[in-house]
Amino acid sequence: MKLVKTAVFLLISLNCFSQSISLPKESKFKFGDDPEWASPAFNDREWQTQIFPNSFNDVKNDSSFCWYRIKLTIPSTMKTNNGKGLKLRIGKIDDVDQTYFNGKLIGETGSLPPNYVTQWSEQRVYTIPENMVQWDKENLIAVRIYNLIGGMGMWEGPYRIEPLGWIDEVSVSHSFMETAKNSFTAKITFTNKTDIAFSGTVKYWIADKVNKKILFTDTKNVQLPAKAGAETAVTFSNFKSSTENVFNVGYQINDNNSKLFTKKEQFFIAANHLEIPVLKEVKPLVKNKIQNNYNTVTFQDERFTGYLGTRFEKNLTQRLLKVDEFGLIGSYLDRPGIHPWAGEHIGKYLEAASNVWKLTGDQDLKKQMDRLMYQLINTQKEDGYLGTYTPDQYWTSWDVWSHKYNLHGLLTYYAATGYKPALESCIKIGDLLCRTFGNKPGQMDIITAGTHMGMAATSVLDAMVELYKYTADKKYLDFCYYILEAWDQDNGPKVISSILETGKINKVGNNKSYEMLSNYVGLIKLYQITGDKKFLKATELAWQDVVTNQLYITGTSSSHEYFQEDKYLPAGIKDNMGEGCVTTTWVQLNQNLFETTGDIKYLNELEKTVYNHLLAAENPQTGCVSYYTPLMGKKPYTCHITCCQSSVPRGIALVPKFTFGNIEKIPTVLFYEPAFYKEKIITSDKRSIDVTFNLEGNFPESGNLVLTVTCSKSGAFPISLRVPDWCNNYTAQVGDSIYKGSPNQFLTITRKWKSRENVTIRFDMPATTIPGGKNYPNLYAFQRGPQVLAFDESLNSVSANSLISNSKEGVSISPLSLANESGILPANWVGKQAYSVKLLNSNEKIVLVPFAEASQAGGEMRVWLPVQIKN
């Protein structure tokens, strides 16, 4: 038998009470501050109406205060027989609140200036004394909010009033034990939080999923002693089905001494014995109108044996296989989700896992992704809804956003396995979106359905293009054009028109980096399928402005999640730079632009990002991820689920798409990673032959490699080699023939290839310094080949740390020369590179390692260093 935590199986959960009322969805709202606004007598008729949850990231205002006024009638049937009062839930508020009921302060969270303390992530739960309530009449809840920077508002629920009683005094939990295929037992545990006894009953039932026909039911008594910490458990016997593995399971707990009860309902999915066969890899039904200039080899025909291979393996074993499954699926298991964007995680995981499984064939990963995919699609509502919100909050905040990622994850899973229920789930989502949003009567405005001037919601463009390609259903393409119309509404972000007019990405929408770049990823895909050159031009302008004005030397962007003024690139811990989601989306944008155009400049950016900021964001020892990855300070790795912890593994899983492939049908080495590739090649005399390319070496440690070309038959065809823009003295030798390459070009060798011919590749990997720019004048960074280097305190001497930390004028070094120091690396260090720089007028040296590997053991690190280069 295998004990499985509840979270693996519980899919829909609902608390019900004898009386519970939801707050009205609409409230009155105003920026500013006046104590009179707490009074029920105040006339708020001229205030604007707001629907919550909402957050005012996008509104320009002169006040750090705002007020909500919520009016509702509370029925007298909610009076408790114990006089304990009512419980007001008003969710999470950004940042500080003072909450009034009928003009009287009932609670506050956080602290106002001068002792400002933010509590933006805390749930607000306040007690309303019964003597304050006007029963069966209108009551007023007034919420005063203060915010110093960023978002402001009541940004996440729940929003309801409940009676206080035994439910607040007794903790109830449950667990399931899967005993065999399609069979399980249930245990409900009660823990007393007070010294008050509890007695009641628990009724348990199992029903079939479709018709909810009762298959099993039982009722048992519960007695809990009057002692804090006392515990009792009720166990229900084994249930087995011969055919079904998805059930409706529920229980209701009644109190013998009051009318209060709690009710839980959920699906149980016995997925541990699930077996989903692989039918075939599926290709899109609709081909791009603009044919790719670059096409990758399939993941199954790649095998990585060097540095990237190690990082890919760590991404699998330390991140994906160890992922918190409840953190991914839990917010579908127990709606509403634990936070507004919790729904995005499972889709991101499925996309990453499907790509990694295609590359590795790992069977443990296949079982895991099968189980999570199956659980996800079985939470889908009949109308196609597959989010984490309750019906009263549908299509607010990040709801469309989560559907976007479910489309991505399920489509990638379907493409990898051919499992049609995954595609059918996507079609239901797509149809629901098409019915819900648009310009027809009764449809919603998609701009108002998402944050950041609608850019979160409209980024579904990317996924809807993909859905169109896999179904050939034109209504999904029509929906994409509706999104473009919505962009240019008065309340829209002007994703195309603004960049065409200004060329400045920080003038688009509200500057929010992740969501904006996600829209441009969708736009370049729409260009591929339609051929509209305006879409390409807008995307290229956005790309160029990022590269010129918004890009860090490690290949990421954003500070505090926004594009900043030109060339303002702060890089410390408190600057919240390099959000992992931005890094991954930047990779996606360059990948799609490179596939479309074949232009080497996009590949240069991919190499910079991969070897620096992308790999830096995932700790190779633990698989933990840093939400923001600073250039200065300790990387703040955490292992729990957040948006970036879901994005970064997905970004790493994309890398095999652009290490080797065909540019204009010529097989081309793009990254110099030791790897093995298989291809079918058309020779100059139109014959098809099988060719393997085996690239051996120890890049990025050195630029000495051997490419072995093995053909099933001899044949004449070209091979291209990318000459990196940072290298010197590039040569490729085949037999006695020597070919010289120029930086930032492709070197093409056309000849008749015999089986097992070698191409000996050599290039220098120079070390250079980079000035610190606007934010770090008089500081420098070191770069070797594609890798930015970092000073890691854990690898340096006490005196070297002191010199770097305390130098005001800068330590002096001779013209840059790096000495190999790999021997100092700890035994468990992932990576083989360490270099030293000798300090002048001192016996000291400083040790540098690739930024991608720095801080993996918890050391403070620095990229920008106080050095002076003496000639």
Side-chain angles (χ1 to χ4, degrees):
M1 295 189 299
K2 184 176 181 181
L3 180 64
V4 183
K5 292 182 179 180
T6 308
V8 175
F9 297 111
L10 301 185
L11 299 187
I12 299 177
S13 179
L14 175 66
N15 273 322
C16 299
F17 309 96
S18 58
Q19 284 291 328
S20 173
I21 60 172
S22 296
L23 301 189
K25 200 168 185 178
E26 291 187 350
S27 71
K28 290 293 186 176
F29 175 86
K30 186 176 178 65
F31 287 108
D33 191 36
D34 188 330
E36 290 297 317
W37 295 350
S39 170
F42 177 77
N43 186 348
D44 58 19
R45 185 177 302 172
E46 301 301 319
W47 286 24
Q48 62 178 289
T49 298
Q50 285 293 335
I51 296 175
F52 50 74
N54 64 358
S55 180
F56 293 92
N57 298 82
D58 316 321
V59 177
K60 307 295 184 183
N61 66 86
D62 297 325
S63 178
S64 294
F65 287 89
C66 69
W67 284 70
Y68 290 81
R69 287 170 52 92
I70 306 158
K71 299 170 184 177
L72 77 164
T73 299
I74 302 176
S76 56
T77 53
M78 289 191 69
K79 290 182 181 179
T80 63
N81 57 8
N82 53 27
K84 293 182 177 180
L86 304 177
K87 183 166 53 181
L88 172 65
R89 296 183 181 272
I90 52 172
K92 297 180 181 180
I93 293 174
D94 196 356
D95 284 335
V96 179
D97 78 289
Q98 293 178 325
T99 297
Y100 299 81
F101 185 83
N102 288 337
K104 295 181 179 179
L105 182 69
I106 59 170
E108 55 187 314
T109 304
S111 179
L112 295 169
N115 301 312
Y116 170 66
V117 177
T118 177
Q119 293 289 348
W120 67 274
S121 62
E122 293 297 313
Q123 284 282 349
R124 272 65 168 176
V125 182
Y126 300 133
T127 297
I128 304 173
E130 290 195 17
N131 61 9
M132 282 190 185
V133 180
Q134 298 189 70
W135 300 106
D136 301 317
K137 297 178 182 179
E138 184 177 85
N139 295 268
L140 173 71
I141 300 165
V143 185
R144 180 193 188 209
I145 297 174
Y146 174 82
N147 178 61
L148 184 63
I149 189 172
M152 171 188 283
M154 299 175 65
W155 65 276
E156 178 183 343
Y159 307 105
R160 63 173 182 260
I161 295 177
E162 306 160 358
L164 285 163
W166 74 267
I167 293 168
D168 304 288
E169 300 163 354
V170 177
S171 173
V172 181
S173 61
H174 45 252
S175 61
F176 290 87
M177 180 182 290
E178 187 175 358
T179 54
K181 186 176 183 180
N182 299 347
S183 63
F184 58 95
T185 61
K187 182 171 76 171
I188 302 172
T189 302
F190 300 80
T191 304
N192 204 333
K193 297 189 286 185
T194 69
D195 291 325
I196 302 171
F198 171 76
S199 65
T201 60
V202 54
K203 180 181 180 180
Y204 171 76
W205 64 89
I206 301 170
D208 72 76
K209 176 189 173 184
V210 178
N211 301 312
K212 295 191 176 181
K213 178 183 176 182
I214 299 297
L215 305 175
F216 173 84
T217 187
D218 193 8
T219 301
K220 295 188 177 183
N221 292 320
V222 181
Q223 297 290 333
L224 195 58
K227 182 180 179 182
E231 186 175 288
T232 188
V234 176
T235 302
F236 293 93
S237 59
N238 187 60
F239 173 82
K240 180 176 177 60
S241 171
S242 59
T243 56
E244 299 295 323
N245 69 343
V246 182
F247 310 95
N248 279 289
V249 180
Y251 59 85
Q252 179 170 313
I253 303 168
N254 293 301
D255 178 20
N256 290 340
N257 300 305
S258 74
K259 296 181 292 183
L260 291 179
F261 68 88
T262 184
K263 181 179 180 182
K264 289 275 188 178
E265 292 181 328
Q266 60 271 321
F267 288 144
F268 176 91
I269 300 180
N272 269 2
H273 300 274
L274 187 68
E275 294 182 3
I276 296 180
V278 178
L279 302 178
K280 62 178 180 178
E281 190 168 358
V282 181
K283 302 295 183 184
L285 300 178
V286 179
K287 293 183 178 180
N288 287 339
K289 187 172 183 179
I290 302 299
Q291 296 300 305
N292 284 350
N293 275 289
Y294 167 76
N295 293 282
T296 186
V297 297
T298 61
F299 278 30
Q300 295 90 330
D301 290 331
E302 299 178 280
R303 187 173 75 250
F304 292 85
T305 58
Y307 175 70
L308 282 185
T310 298
R311 297 304 297 262
F312 294 161
E313 188 267 339
K314 297 295 183 182
N315 192 39
L316 167 65
T317 60
Q318 299 300 317
R319 187 63 196 168
L320 293 176
L321 289 177
K322 292 183 178 180
V323 75
D324 173 11
E325 292 189 27
F326 181 61
L328 296 176
I329 195 72
S331 291
Y332 293 89
L333 317 184
D334 192 0
R335 292 182 174 107
I338 58 173
H339 55 71
W341 56 88
E344 72 186 60
H345 305 314
I346 183 63
K348 290 180 175 181
Y349 161 82
L350 285 173
E351 182 181 358
S354 297
N355 285 331
V356 171
W357 173 73
K358 287 195 298 182
L359 181 69
T360 65
D362 188 271
Q363 287 306 300
D364 289 335
L365 182 62
K366 176 65 164 58
K367 290 178 182 178
Q368 183 190 63
M369 71 184 200
D370 287 350
R371 178 169 63 250
L372 286 164
M373 178 281 306
Y374 192 76
Q375 290 176 337
L376 177 63
I377 64 175
N378 274 284
T379 68
Q380 190 167 31
K381 302 287 190 178
E382 290 183 7
D383 65 356
Y385 181 81
L386 193 54
T388 61
Y389 290 60
T390 52
D392 61 317
Q393 300 297 320
Y394 281 1
W395 312 125
T396 60
S397 192
W398 299 90
D399 207 5
V400 178
W401 175 266
S402 296
H403 283 78
K404 171 190 78 171
Y405 279 112
N406 284 335
L407 284 170
H408 280 306
L410 291 170
L411 283 172
T412 307
Y413 181 93
Y414 166 67
T417 65
Y419 185 66
K420 283 197 171 180
L423 176 64
E424 291 164 358
S425 179
C426 293
I427 291 171
K428 291 177 183 177
I429 293 173
D431 290 351
L432 177 61
L433 292 173
C434 290
R435 292 195 306 270
T436 302
F437 299 103
N439 297 318
K440 297 177 182 177
Q443 290 185 308
M444 291 180 62
D445 176 4
I446 196 169
I447 298 297
T448 65
T451 58
H452 303 297
M453 296 185 69
M455 290 191 297
T458 61
S459 69
V460 76
L461 171 66
D462 177 5
M464 292 298 278
V465 172
E466 292 297 315
L467 184 60
Y468 168 63
K469 290 171 67 173
Y470 278 97
T471 62
D473 190 331
K474 187 176 178 295
K475 69 171 175 284
Y476 304 137
L477 182 60
D478 294 339
F479 187 83
C480 295
Y481 278 102
Y482 158 68
I483 289 175
L484 269 58
E485 293 176 15
W487 282 346
D488 269 344
Q489 294 173 183
D490 290 342
N491 61 342
K494 315 295 191 295
V495 172
I496 295 177
S497 58
S498 181
I499 197 72
L500 290 178
E501 179 181 348
T502 68
K504 305 301 298 179
I505 201 162
N506 57 13
K507 301 297 183 183
V508 177
N510 69 336
N511 303 355
K512 186 63 164 59
S513 306
Y514 179 19
E515 291 74 12
M516 190 193 306
L517 290 177
S518 298
N519 279 270
Y520 284 116
V521 171
L523 189 60
I524 189 60
K525 288 188 176 182
L526 191 61
Y527 165 70
Q528 292 168 340
I529 205 73
T530 65
D532 190 326
K533 291 183 178 179
K534 182 171 69 173
F535 303 161
L536 175 62
K537 182 179 180 181
T539 307
E540 288 180 326
L541 283 172
W543 178 90
Q544 187 60 62
D545 191 48
V546 172
V547 170
T548 304
N549 296 305
Q550 301 286 343
L551 199 68
Y552 289 84
I553 61 172
T554 50
T556 191
S557 191
S558 80
S559 173
H560 297 286
E561 303 189 9
Y562 287 79
F563 292 120
Q564 303 295 325
E565 65 181 69
D566 286 357
K567 301 185 186 303
Y568 179 73
L569 300 168
I573 285 281
K574 294 182 179 180
D575 298 310
N576 290 351
M577 65 149 292
E579 182 188 3
C581 297
V582 173
T583 305
T584 293
T585 311
W586 179 243
V587 167
Q588 288 181 287
L589 184 63
N590 280 282
Q591 172 205 336
N592 280 278
L593 283 165
F594 179 61
E595 288 176 352
T596 303
T597 66
D599 194 323
I600 198 171
K601 67 183 180 183
Y602 302 118
L603 194 66
N604 293 340
E605 296 304 327
L606 285 167
E607 182 183 61
K608 178 190 298 180
T609 301
V610 169
Y611 281 101
N612 293 291
H613 223 90
L614 180 64
L615 294 182
E618 185 175 278
N619 189 318
Q621 293 191 28
T622 65
C624 298
V625 172
S626 53
Y627 193 110
Y628 307 109
T629 308
L631 306 189
M632 311 287 278
K634 185 186 298 184
K635 295 176 186 173
Y637 291 119
T638 58
C639 292
H640 59 269
I641 298 293
T642 70
C643 60
C644 295
Q645 275 79 347
S646 300
S647 284
V648 169
R650 175 169 161 256
I652 294 173
L654 291 173
V655 175
K657 287 179 176 284
F658 45 81
T659 60
F660 180 93
N662 291 278
I663 297 179
E664 296 181 349
K665 299 182 180 180
I666 299 175
T668 305
V669 174
L670 303 174
F671 281 16
Y672 285 94
E673 276 298 322
F676 179 90
Y677 305 98
K678 292 192 297 184
E679 265 280 43
K680 282 194 175 295
I681 301 294
I682 303 300
T683 63
S684 59
D685 56 359
K686 308 302 182 185
R687 292 181 298 116
S688 175
I689 62 174
D690 295 324
V691 182
T692 61
F693 300 88
N694 187 14
L695 187 59
E696 297 176 291
N698 61 350
F699 185 89
E701 294 174 62
S702 83
N704 299 319
L705 303 104
V706 175
L707 176 67
T708 301
V709 182
T710 303
C711 311
S712 59
K713 295 179 182 178
S714 298
F717 57 89
I719 295 174
S720 278
L721 307 169
R722 169 179 166 258
V723 184
D725 59 346
W726 42 259
C727 80
N728 294 330
N729 303 318
Y730 187 103
T731 63
Q733 182 172 352
V734 186
D736 295 330
S737 300
I738 297 177
Y739 306 86
K740 293 184 177 181
S742 300
N744 208 33
Q745 301 290 329
F746 290 105
L747 173 63
T748 301
I749 302 173
T750 302
R751 58 182 284 124
K752 185 173 182 179
W753 298 92
K754 301 174 184 177
S755 191
R756 294 196 60 79
E757 282 200 274
N758 291 336
V759 183
T760 301
I761 302 168
R762 294 186 178 90
F763 50 84
D764 296 337
M765 301 183 67
T768 59
T769 56
I770 304 170
K774 180 186 292 187
N775 293 89
Y776 298 95
N778 304 318
L779 301 185
Y780 291 85
F782 294 85
Q783 180 172 332
R784 180 183 181 275
Q787 295 174 300
V788 173
L789 303 180
F791 177 93
D792 188 318
E793 289 187 1
S794 70
L795 301 174
N796 279 273
S797 67
V798 173
S799 54
N801 279 315
S802 178
L803 283 170
I804 292 298
S805 300
N806 300 320
S807 174
K808 294 181 180 180
E809 297 181 357
V811 297
S812 298
I813 63 173
S814 59
L816 193 56
S817 177
L818 299 180
N820 188 354
E821 296 283 353
S822 59
I824 73 165
L825 295 173
N828 63 340
W829 189 269
V830 178
K832 300 178 181 179
Q833 294 171 265
Y835 307 97
S836 65
V837 178
K838 183 74 171 60
L839 304 184
L840 296 179
N841 306 317
S842 168
N843 292 324
E844 285 296 335
K845 61 185 177 182
I846 58 173
V847 176
L848 306 172
V849 293
F851 169 69
E853 297 159 17
S855 202
Q856 63 177 272
E860 294 276 340
M861 54 95 197
R862 296 165 177 252
V863 166
W864 296 114
L865 298 171
V867 297
Q868 295 182 359
I869 303 173
K870 301 293 185 179
N871 293 321

